[in-house]
Amino acid sequence: MPNNQSQNYTGHFAPSPTGPVHFGTLIAAVGSYLQAKKNNGAWLIRIEDVDVTRKIEGADVDILNTLEAFGFEWQGDIVYQSERSEYYQQALDQLITQSLVFPCICSRKQLAESNSDVYPGSCRDRNLPEKNQHALRLQAKDISIKFNDTVMGAQSQNIKQQCGDFIIRRRDNLFAYQLAVVVDDALQNITEIVRGADLLDSTARQIYLQQLLHYPTPDYCHLPLAIDATGNKISKSEGAAKIDINNKEKSLISALNFLGQQAPAELVKSNINDIWKWAIDNWDIDQVPKTKGSQI
């Protein structure tokens, strides 16, 4: 549904094509869509397939078909990260020019033996070019990144102490997720990022990159994750069940209730268009549970 009008608010939904839409995916789609609608903004779709090794053939088409069946309407062309390497390379070159990037030849085994969740800085003194196989890491400064999440509230993370020097291009020469999404968010003029709380810890690194690349920082809104009885995230990697498009009305109402919207009982008898109308009219981000995970 193309829309060339300039929008003050631009949101997006950015699934990875690693499997079909499950309930957790639906929650992120519904939350981001309703935030865009409530703010009279555009809602874009980006297929985050920068890690082509995890891509499942046909999963992107399946995701888009499911969204269409549920009545989602998006603006503009669908962006595929796998087609945008030139933009990521330009950002990488900019960081290299600032002497903020170094090659890392550490193996996974070596990193595991360091007994630290934070990169120990083993290769910080190495310079480019590097003849050995290597990843590229961004130097982490000893600064705290603070932001106010729309749902989760005030957040703060020290880049050097809690993240460490992080990878922006992998050993296999694929660009890392952290760099790719920052470049895409800037190029697509995203004003608010609505996504699952599993990515809350990535936000400080992304804001740090935005600052180094002189990009604007969007607002952030992290939604609670759907978890099972054992406390594990409902995810494609765990084999979560595909959403049944033949029962989409019930699934949409379940997603609204999960997000704290308290859909009236009689809504279950309505068609998908009427459910969306109610959802858009009544969407209240303040009612979303301020927790990283909720059991379904």
Side-chain angles (χ1 to χ4, degrees):
M1 186 176 173
N3 185 346
N4 295 320
Q5 269 186 302
S6 62
Q7 301 279 353
N8 290 325
Y9 182 104
T10 303
H12 77 325
F13 175 55
S16 299
T18 54
V21 173
H22 56 80
F23 188 65
T25 322
L26 183 63
I27 290 166
V30 169
S32 61
Y33 187 67
L34 291 174
Q35 269 293 86
K37 287 289 187 182
K38 198 69 175 182
N39 287 281
N40 299 313
W43 188 69
L44 313 181
I45 291 183
R46 179 167 76 221
I47 302 295
E48 294 195 336
D49 60 348
V50 67
D51 185 354
V52 293
T53 65
R54 296 178 62 235
K55 182 177 180 178
I56 293 177
E57 196 65 36
D60 59 327
V61 175
D62 184 66
I63 290 168
L64 295 172
N65 287 342
T66 302
L67 293 175
E68 199 166 17
F70 268 81
F72 288 94
E73 297 178 339
W74 55 88
Q75 288 74 47
D77 295 329
I78 295 165
V79 164
Y80 283 77
Q81 287 185 326
S82 56
E83 300 172 354
R84 297 167 69 80
S85 294
E86 62 179 300
Y87 301 118
Y88 310 146
Q89 185 63 51
Q90 289 169 7
L92 175 60
D93 291 343
Q94 190 176 333
L95 295 168
I96 290 172
T97 301
Q98 297 178 59
S99 300
L100 293 168
V101 178
F102 64 89
C104 174
I105 63 171
C106 297
S107 67
R108 288 186 179 181
K109 182 181 177 184
Q110 288 171 316
L111 293 174
E113 289 171 350
S114 71
N115 293 318
S116 173
D117 292 333
V118 176
Y119 176 70
S122 312
C123 293
R124 256 201 169 200
D125 293 333
R126 286 187 172 272
N127 297 309
L128 291 168
E130 170 63 61
K131 66 180 185 298
N132 297 302
Q133 188 180 30
H134 61 277
L136 293 179
R137 289 183 181 270
L138 182 71
Q139 288 184 10
K141 295 178 182 176
D142 192 11
I143 58 172
S144 289
I145 299 290
K146 298 179 180 180
F147 65 98
N148 190 60
D149 189 85
T150 306
V151 170
M152 300 295 173
Q155 306 290 320
S156 179
Q157 193 177 69
N158 184 287
I159 296 297
K160 186 175 183 179
Q161 296 173 21
Q162 293 174 264
C163 300
D165 306 318
F166 56 94
I167 291 174
I168 53 176
R169 198 186 73 190
R170 303 178 353 178
R171 288 172 75 94
D172 58 7
N173 289 324
L174 290 178
F175 291 97
Y177 165 81
Q178 305 292 1
L179 179 65
V181 296
V182 164
V183 172
D184 288 333
D185 290 337
L187 290 177
Q188 293 186 286
N189 298 312
I190 304 299
T191 58
E192 183 178 50
I193 295 167
V194 183
R195 59 190 183 186
D198 53 331
L199 292 167
L200 185 62
D201 288 341
S202 292
T203 306
R205 276 170 282 177
Q206 292 167 18
I207 293 175
Y208 179 56
L209 273 167
Q210 290 158 5
Q211 293 174 353
L212 296 176
L213 292 165
H214 307 293
Y215 294 163
T217 293
D219 293 329
Y220 285 90
C221 175
H222 287 85
L223 306 173
L225 300 175
I227 57 176
D228 60 23
T230 60
N232 292 318
K233 171 190 169 186
I234 304 291
S235 68
K236 287 175 284 215
S237 60
E238 298 294 330
K242 178 180 178 180
I243 284 287
D244 181 7
I245 61 173
N246 295 317
N247 204 9
K248 55 185 178 290
E249 291 83 5
K250 182 180 178 183
S251 294
L252 180 53
I253 289 172
S254 294
L256 291 169
N257 287 333
F258 181 89
L259 291 168
Q261 302 306 298
Q262 300 174 334
E266 61 270 18
L267 202 61
V268 75
K269 299 174 184 176
S270 302
N271 63 40
I272 200 75
N273 292 331
D274 288 340
I275 296 171
W276 275 124
K277 184 178 186 311
W278 180 90
I280 293 167
D281 289 344
N282 292 277
W283 174 249
D284 184 356
I285 194 67
D286 293 334
Q287 296 302 313
V288 174
K290 294 169 175 55
T291 176
K292 284 192 175 183
S294 293
Q295 191 173 328
I296 60 169

